Amino acid sequence: MTNPDMSGMDRIGLMQTFVRIVEAGSLSAAAAQLGTSQPTVSRRLQALERSLGLELLQRSTHAMKLTDDGARCFAHAKTLLESWQAMTADLRGAKDAPEGHLRVLVPHAFGQDQLMAPLMAYLRRYPQSLSNGCCMIGVPISLLRASIAPCRSARWTIPP
Amino acid sequence: MTNPDMSGMDRIGLMQTFVRIVEAGSLSAAAAQLGTSQPTVSRRLQALERSLGLELLQRSTHAMKLTDDGARCFAHAKTLLESWQAMTADLRGAKDAPEGHLRVLVPHAFGQDQLMAPLMAYLRRYPQSLSNGCCMIGVPISLLRASIAPCRSARWTIPP
DNA sequence: TGTTATTACGGCGCCCGTAAGGATT
DNA sequence: AATCCTTACGGGCGCCGTAATAACA
């Protein structure tokens, strides 16, 4: 009952958490997406702010706004995490986990029953898919298309 | 009696250690430069290898050679640490710690008394100067020059 | 024999999850 | 009332330094 492989919390994990917070829009949403608790996310954010010596985002009880420093930090964090993922991707080769976009073409009602289960299984199998950001785009049924591709501001959780 | 600001060992610290090992040429040299013990460096390297799932460098008792994977990892690590330092440099601004080379021109005997104390104070104040590598170059007294600039394979410690 | 890397061991500290508290809508 | 963030509190896991072991020059 610990960490779904962030493999020991650290500065990289802290920034991963920070990015998730910003993209999720709230600490609790980030906690849900990360499969951890709200206090943990709060503490990680505090730790990052403390280690950098500046305030990243001003948070009142029902709002959240990126500081100027926070915005710069976010940009840096994105590039740095990108470097990290490039590194692991190169070192582990493609032998480990699939990579790139996953596009699915399926009727709407079919998707409800037949798509969601394998999709959830897939995301449970490769949770890092979510760290790139993951969303589902609904398209008019005439096109019969559901698309899964990287984007921002998505809120996904993987039910147990 | 713990960590001269690597601020909680983590994946970034692991890679810093790895880079230092490669550049220093041996685990014990890296340990000396990092101001830590040989077992610590050994364990960190093992941890990094374990976390990546591959062997980074083959080490027998009196030799050391980068694996093919290790070479790729080293390159990636350099760029990633560069990104990290760019980030902290940008976020902390120039308000916090000075940056760049520090060159000092003093008579030799003068340096013994008047230079070392402020230098030690300086390094104690900004320990991260050491993480870029730090060495002192002795120059013939006719030139009356002592130089402090980044270089490799230096062994510095900051006495308490 | 001196230098190198690794394992053994006790201890301190960090991080986590649950639970309780405060604030705002 | 409901939701969100923070602090308090034990507990476990990880990392560290010292010391001991093993291999090579």
Side-chain angles (χ1 to χ4, degrees):
Chain A
M1 186 65 62
T2 53
N3 213 337
D5 230 18
M6 216 168 248
S7 205
M9 200 41 48
D10 51 23
R11 280 176 283 187
I12 286 182
L14 257 45
M15 282 188 300
Q16 286 176 334
T17 300
F18 172 63
V19 166
R20 199 54 151 273
I21 291 173
V22 173
E23 293 184 347
S26 76
L27 302 199
S28 33
Q33 295 180 19
L34 290 168
T36 186
S37 63
Q38 291 170 359
T40 292
V41 173
S42 175
R43 278 189 297 254
R44 287 185 193 168
L45 179 57
Q46 293 176 32
L48 183 58
E49 288 180 327
R50 180 158 29 87
S51 88
L52 292 175
L54 38 83
E55 189 184 29
L56 295 177
L57 46 82
Q58 289 177 333
R59 39 203 187 280
S60 54
T61 44
H62 263 143
M64 228 183 68
K65 192 161 101 29
L66 267 169
T67 308
D68 205 43
D69 292 329
R72 291 213 311 283
C73 181
F74 179 75
H76 280 291
K78 290 285 281 188
T79 70
L80 198 144
L81 292 178
E82 201 170 328
S83 296
W84 170 260
Q85 294 189 0
M87 174 175 172
T88 56
D90 180 28
L91 291 179
R92 306 180 88 102
K95 66 188 172 188
D96 228 53
E99 202 176 341
H101 292 194
L102 171 63
R103 298 195 171 275
V104 181
L105 178 66
V106 67
H108 183 262
F110 180 84
Q112 293 288 356
D113 292 339
Q114 306 294 88
L115 174 61
M116 296 312 288
L119 176 59
M120 289 299 107
Y122 177 85
L123 291 175
R124 217 173 290 116
R125 176 74 179 81
Y126 304 112
Q128 66 271 31
S129 302
L130 292 174
S131 34
N132 296 327
C134 177
C135 72
M136 174 168 283
I137 301 173
V139 175
I141 197 173
S142 61
L143 297 177
L144 293 179
R145 187 165 73 182
S147 173
I148 305 171
C151 72
R152 296 189 179 177
S153 72
R155 307 194 181 196
W156 279 73
T157 56
I158 308 177
Chain B
M1 187 64 66
T2 53
N3 213 337
D5 227 22
M6 219 168 247
S7 202
M9 200 41 47
D10 50 24
R11 279 176 283 186
I12 287 182
L14 258 47
M15 280 187 302
Q16 285 176 335
T17 301
F18 172 62
V19 166
R20 197 56 149 271
I21 292 172
V22 173
E23 293 184 348
S26 75
L27 301 200
S28 33
Q33 294 181 19
L34 291 169
T36 187
S37 62
Q38 292 171 357
T40 292
V41 173
S42 175
R43 278 188 298 253
R44 288 184 192 169
L45 180 56
Q46 292 176 32
L48 184 59
E49 287 179 325
R50 179 157 28 88
S51 87
L52 292 174
L54 37 84
E55 189 183 29
L56 294 178
L57 46 82
Q58 291 178 333
R59 40 203 186 279
S60 54
T61 43
H62 264 140
M64 228 185 64
K65 193 162 97 33
L66 268 170
T67 308
D68 204 42
D69 293 328
R72 289 213 313 282
C73 181
F74 179 75
H76 280 291
K78 291 285 280 188
T79 70
L80 197 143
L81 293 178
E82 202 171 329
S83 297
W84 170 259
Q85 294 190 359
M87 173 174 174
T88 57
D90 180 27
L91 290 179
R92 305 179 91 103
K95 66 187 174 189
D96 226 55
E99 202 175 338
H101 293 192
L102 172 64
R103 297 194 172 277
V104 182
L105 179 66
V106 293
H108 184 264
F110 179 84
Q112 293 288 356
D113 292 338
Q114 306 294 86
L115 175 60
M116 295 314 287
L119 177 59
M120 287 300 105
Y122 177 90
L123 292 175
R124 218 174 289 118
R125 175 78 180 78
Y126 304 112
Q128 66 270 32
S129 303
L130 291 172
S131 33
N132 298 325
C134 179
C135 71
M136 174 168 284
I137 302 171
V139 174
I141 197 172
S142 60
L143 297 178
L144 293 178
R145 188 167 70 182
S147 173
I148 305 170
C151 71
R152 298 186 179 179
S153 71
R155 307 195 183 195
W156 279 76
T157 54
I158 307 178

